[in-house]
């Protein structure tokens, strides 16, 4: 049984390549106009139903990374205003403690967890807003926090896979603004630590954190258990890093190689219906579609194709199938995005997802994928 499951997963990429020859024809799918309409439908639905701005924690902040991407693509002023109002609501801060002696980076949601990456992802949006209309107030807290963190000898700040999406792009965005090379050096140093505890070189995938490393932890069929959304965070995070990373950065090829290795592993685990299950190598452990991981994979794969890092002949059919799932199953007529696994850290057997299973970070991931899909049509 174990062998058959692995063979099935690894062979899916071959099946993807056997789809009809016109599946990569841009005229055979949604037009860019249709996708832009979807973006507006999804984002208008979310913002209309969430008029109150929440805290600057990871789940809200992940949505805003997608909302800002939708603004950059469509220039709809309401999207920009929504993120600006959220930033002002949170005083351009993440966690709000000003006492550096109490700052922590283990898991926590109170205001002393300033160095915890889940409270630093908001700096991505603050940096984007700064770039649109520079004002030092917008990034003052981001610089204070990140430059204090980089002044410490600690290197174990990124101890869970999600954190790589939360903070890696913060480092490259602040480097572009400040020109401080320490942001890029610490990016590599912190990622090297994360790799040492979470990255599986054989599978080319990341465990969610040290608790899930094989063989200490196994899936239902005794396989390595790679959580889809966890690897989605990493894969999308690498894409966002490469967008802002200088071509001359000495670690750039290393990040490209990791991105391409992950793409191959991710493509090999796609289900025939276009989605990815919550446990990538064990689809029976928590079967059925999951949108957030699928959307992050769709974004990363399409970005890699659009930017010449991934072979379109091999990977566009995978991206096409993922987009078909996202728009025919996950997307509801009113703009709701369903089948999003709730906040968690692993595949959970028996957990039911349906059209009403939605969340802010899942919508953000969908928006990222949709925007990159539009750029495919603009090539």
């Amino acid at each position: 049984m174990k062998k058959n499951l692995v063979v099935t997963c690894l062979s899916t990429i071959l099946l993807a390549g056997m789809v009809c020859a016109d599946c990569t024809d841009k005229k055979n799918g949604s037009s860019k106009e249709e996708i832009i309409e979807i973006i507006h439908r999804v984002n208008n639905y979310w913002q209309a139903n969430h008029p109150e701005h929440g805290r600057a924690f990871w789940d809200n902040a992940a949505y805003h990374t997608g909302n800002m991407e939708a603004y950059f693509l469509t220039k709809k002023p309401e999207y920009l205003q929504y993120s600006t109002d959220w930033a002002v609501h949170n005083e351009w801060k993440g966690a709000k403690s000003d006492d550096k002696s109490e700052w922590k980076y283990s898991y926590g949601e109170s205001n002393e967890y300033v160095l915890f990456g889940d409270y630093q992802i908001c700096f991505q949006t603050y940096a984007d807003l700064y770039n649109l209309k520079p004002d030092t107030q917008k990034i003052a807290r981001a610089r204070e926090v990140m430059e204090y963190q980089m002044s410490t000898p600690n290197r174990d700040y990124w101890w869970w896979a999600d954190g790589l999406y939360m903070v890696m792009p913060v480092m490259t965005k602040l480097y572009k603004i400040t020109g401080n090379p320490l942001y890029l050096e610490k990016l590599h140093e912190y990622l090297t630590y994360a790799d040492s505890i979470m990255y599986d070189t054989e599978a080319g995938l990341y465990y969610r954190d040290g608790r899930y490393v094989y063989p200490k932890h196994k899936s239902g069929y005794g396989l390595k258990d790679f959580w889809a959304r966890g690897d989605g965070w990493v894969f999308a995070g690498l894409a966002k890093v490469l967008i802002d990373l200088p071509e001359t950065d000495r670690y750039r090829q290393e990040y490209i190689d990791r991105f391409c290795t992950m793409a191959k592993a991710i493509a090999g685990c796609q289900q025939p219906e276009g989605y990815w299950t919550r446990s990538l190598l064990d689809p029976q452990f928590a079967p059925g579609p999951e949108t957030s991981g699928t959307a992050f994979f769709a974004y990363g794969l399409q970005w890699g194709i659009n930017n010449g890092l991934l072979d379109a002949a091999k990977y566009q059919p995978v991206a096409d199938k993922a987009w078909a799932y996202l728009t025919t199953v996950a997307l509801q007529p009113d703009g709701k995005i369903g089948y999003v696994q709730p906040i968690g850290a692993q595949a959970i057997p028996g957990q039911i997802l349906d059209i009403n299973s939605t969340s802010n970070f899942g919508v953000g991931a969908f928006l990222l994928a949709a925007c990159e899909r539009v750029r495919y049509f603009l090539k």
Side-chain angles (χ1 to χ4, degrees), residues 142-210:
R143 292 192 62 182
E144 177 190 22
V145 170
M146 301 313 300
E147 289 170 17
Y148 170 83
Q149 179 172 305
M150 294 190 302
S151 75
T152 72
N154 304 330
R155 58 194 294 268
D156 57 343
Y157 288 101
W158 300 344
W159 48 265
W160 75 117
D162 316 30
L164 301 186
Y165 182 86
M166 310 305 168
V167 199
M168 287 198 302
V170 171
M171 308 295 270
T172 48
K173 287 176 183 291
L174 289 179
Y175 167 77
K176 285 192 72 175
I177 291 171
T178 67
N180 183 352
L182 192 58
Y183 280 106
L184 301 186
E185 288 301 315
K186 289 297 183 178
L187 163 63
H188 186 263
E189 182 179 331
Y190 299 160
L191 179 58
T192 298
Y193 172 79
D195 286 351
S196 74
I197 62 170
M198 293 184 289
Y199 182 62
D200 186 295
T201 56
E202 180 183 46
L205 295 167
Y206 283 79
Y207 298 103
R208 195 273 177 177
D209 59 59

Side-chain angles (χ1 to χ4, degrees), residues 276 290-300 325-326 362 364-369:
W276 281 264
E290 199 286 309
T291 296
S292 61
T294 297
F296 280 128
F297 293 153
Y299 162 70
Y325 159 77
L326 290 172
F366 182 96
L367 292 172
L368 288 174

Side-chain angles (χ1 to χ4, degrees), residues 241-297:
V241 161
L242 290 168
I243 291 170
D244 287 324
L245 193 71
E247 293 289 339
T248 55
D249 183 78
R250 60 176 172 159
Y251 304 116
R252 184 176 178 85
Q253 190 58 50
E254 181 180 326
Y255 303 148
I256 291 173
D257 291 344
R258 179 60 51 81
F259 177 82
C260 293
T261 296
M262 289 192 73
K264 181 178 179 181
I266 289 163
C269 294
Q270 187 181 39
Q271 299 304 298
E273 299 85 355
Y275 62 80
W276 281 264
T277 55
R278 283 160 276 180
S279 183
L280 293 176
L281 296 185
D282 191 345
Q284 298 307 311
F285 185 41
E290 199 286 309
T291 296
S292 61
T294 297
F296 280 128
F297 293 153

Side-chain angles (χ1 to χ4, degrees), residues 93-120:
K93 294 182 176 182
K96 294 182 178 179
S97 169
D98 291 321
D99 182 356
K100 293 182 175 64
S101 69
E102 70 176 17
W103 285 5
K104 301 177 183 178
Y105 61 95
S106 57
Y107 181 88
E109 300 185 22
S110 55
N111 276 324
E112 66 269 25
Y113 287 90
V114 175
L115 304 179
F116 180 36
D118 283 3
Y119 265 126
Q120 296 174 340

